[in-house]
Amino acid sequence: VSTAPKYVLEEQMEELEELAKSADLIVIDKIIQRVKQINPKYLLGEGKLRELIIKAMDMGATLLVFDQNLTPSQIRAITDMTELKVIDRSQLILDIFAKRAHTRDGKVQVELAQLRYMLPRLTGKGTAMSRLAGGIGGRGPGETKLEIDRRRIKERIHHLENELKKLTLARLQRKKRRKEFSIPIVSIIGYTNAGKSTLLNALTKSSVFVEDKMFATLDTSSRRLKFPEEKELIITDTVGFIRDLPEDLVAAFKATLEELEDASLLIHLVDISNPQFENHIEAVNKILKELELETKPVILVFNKIDKLSSFDTKQICSRYNAIGISALDKQTLIPLIEEIKNKLWQEATCTAPL
Ligand code: GDP
C-alpha cells in the first residue's frame, strides 16, 4: 500500500517476495494497492482491507505481509479485523536474520531486536498479542509463544542485554581457539537471493572434494571440505544483504555477520542477472568497511551466468575482474575452486621472501 508510482511499487513487491522466500514462506498472491493518501488507521480504506482479508482467506493464506512498516496502532487495528497473522517488512527481515544467525552473539542480537520491535506492539492480553508473539512461526523469540506478555518480554530483554556483555569475553576466547585450530574459513557473502546457499551446497557436492565423514557438517550453514591432497577448509553461508534495511535492524544484521571476523577469505557472490547488481556490490562493500573487514581477501564471483549470453558474461566478468559461475551447474565452479585454493595456499608461498 503506497502513494509511490506503480513501477516503484512493482519493484518493491518483487523484493518483498524474495524476502518472503528467504524466510521459507510460500507466496500465494501479491497485491499492490496504490492510494492517493495513506489511511492512518488501516493504511488503506477499511472496506478495501476487509476485501483483501476475505480474498486472502479464500485462497488459504495464513499470513499477511505488509511491505511498509506498520505502527503499533496500525498492526493492532488490522489484527483486530482478522484471524490471519499480520506482519510487516521489518518482522520478515528479523525472521530471516533469526534463521541465519549462527553465533551466540548473533542470535542474542536478533532476539533482542525482535523483542524490542514487539514490545510497543503488545497491548493487554488478547488474540492479537498472541498472534504477534511468535514471529512467522516457530522461529520467533525464545520458546515462549502464546503466554508471552510485556513483563516477561522486559525480563527477557534485560537478561539478553546482560548475556551480550558476557559474550564479548567468550568471543575473544573463541577467536583464540579458532587460531589454534587453523583450518581456514571461507565465508560466502552477498545479497539475499544471490545464490549463497545454492553455492554452498554445490561446492559440498562437488567431486573436487573428498568426503570427510567425521566432520561432514558443522551446522546447516557450514561445511568442512577436504581436497585429496589433505588440504581442508570450512565454508560458511551468511545472512544476506537487504536493500533499505530499517535502521533498527542494522545492529542485528551486523551481529549476524560478526562471524566474518574469523574468515580467511570472503566469496562476494553477486546475482549478475539482477539489474541492480552494481548497487548490490557497492552496498556490500560499504558494510564490509563499516565492519572493518575491507582488508580481508575477497573473490568477487558473479552467479547465474546461465541467464546471460556467454559474450555478456565474458565482458562483465572481465570489467569487474570477477569469476563467472552458475551455482546450478557444478562444471562452472572449477575456476572458483582453483581461485580459492590459490588465495588460501598459493599466494602465501608466492609472497614469501625468496
Ligand atoms: P541466497 O539467498 O543467497 O542463499 O540464495 P539461494 O541459494 O536461496 O538462491 C536464490 C534463488 O536463486 C533460488 O531460487 C536458486 O535456485 C536460484 N539460483 C541460485 N543460483 C542460480 C544460478 O546459477 N542460476 C539460476 N538461474 N538460478 C540460481
Side-chain angles (χ1 to χ4, degrees), residues 63 83 85 90 94 106 121 124 133 148 158 170 188 240 285 303 315:
L63 179 73
E83 287 298 307
K85 191 161 176 156
S90 284
L94 280 170
R121 288 165 175 78
I148 209 154
H158 187 67
I188 308 174
N285 287 340
N303 190 28
Q315 286 229 317

Side-chain angles (χ1 to χ4, degrees), residues 78-246:
I78 299 171
T79 43
D80 275 349
M81 261 170 91
T82 172
E83 287 298 307
L84 294 174
K85 191 161 176 156
V86 177
I87 64 166
D88 62 19
R89 187 169 182 269
S90 284
Q91 258 182 308
L92 183 63
I93 294 172
L94 280 170
D95 201 78
I96 296 169
F97 289 174
K99 199 174 103 194
R100 302 267 179 126
H102 307 123
T103 61
R104 186 66 201 146
D105 296 66
K107 286 183 175 160
V108 170
Q109 289 268 20
V110 173
E111 190 179 340
L112 265 175
Q114 284 178 312
L115 293 171
R116 285 181 184 142
Y117 180 88
M118 200 193 284
L119 196 59
R121 288 165 175 78
L122 298 179
T123 45
K125 298 183 171 64
T127 51
M129 183 179 86
S130 58
R131 267 177 287 134
L132 264 173
I136 287 176
R139 283 197 302 271
E143 296 81 54
T144 47
K145 284 232 179 79
L146 299 178
E147 304 291 88
I148 209 154
D149 63 28
R150 291 179 70 89
R151 185 180 51 81
R152 285 178 56 191
I153 290 188
K154 279 187 184 155
E155 275 169 17
R156 181 84 185 142
I157 288 179
H158 187 67
H159 172 80
L160 291 174
E161 282 168 348
N162 280 335
E163 189 176 343
L164 213 51
K165 282 180 206 146
K166 288 187 209 135
L167 279 172
T168 316
L169 184 66
R171 184 170 55 197
L172 293 176
Q173 286 166 344
R174 188 167 49 97
K175 207 167 176 178
K176 194 163 156 259
R177 258 205 317 278
R178 275 270 164 76
K179 267 201 180 131
E180 286 161 5
F181 200 44
S182 86
I183 295 182
I185 297 173
V186 177
S187 291
I188 308 174
I189 57 169
Y191 250 73
T192 299
N193 217 39
K196 296 181 296 301
S197 18
T198 312
L199 176 61
L200 181 76
N201 285 327
L203 284 172
T204 311
K205 290 191 193 116
S206 160
S207 53
V208 176
F209 296 105
V210 290
E211 202 179 354
D212 190 346
K213 280 223 169 71
M214 211 160 78
F215 300 103
T217 319
L218 300 174
D219 65 54
T220 51
S221 61
S222 299
R223 306 275 199 284
R224 185 160 166 170
L225 305 176
K226 199 169 168 187
F227 288 101
E229 59 267 39
E230 296 292 303
K231 286 190 168 101
E232 277 186 283
L233 58 96
I234 291 172
I235 187 148
T236 70
D237 176 15
T238 57
V239 63
F241 286 63
I242 291 160
R243 197 170 51 169
D244 298 329
L245 188 67

Side-chain angles (χ1 to χ4, degrees), residues 313-338:
T313 303
K314 252 194 207 137
Q315 286 229 317
I316 300 177
C317 286
S318 85
R319 189 171 347 129
Y320 288 88
N321 199 16
I323 297 179
I325 63 158
S326 167
L328 297 179
D329 175 4
K330 273 183 251 155
Q331 281 305 315
T332 65
L333 303 182
I334 308 287
L336 170 61
I337 294 170
E338 280 307 308

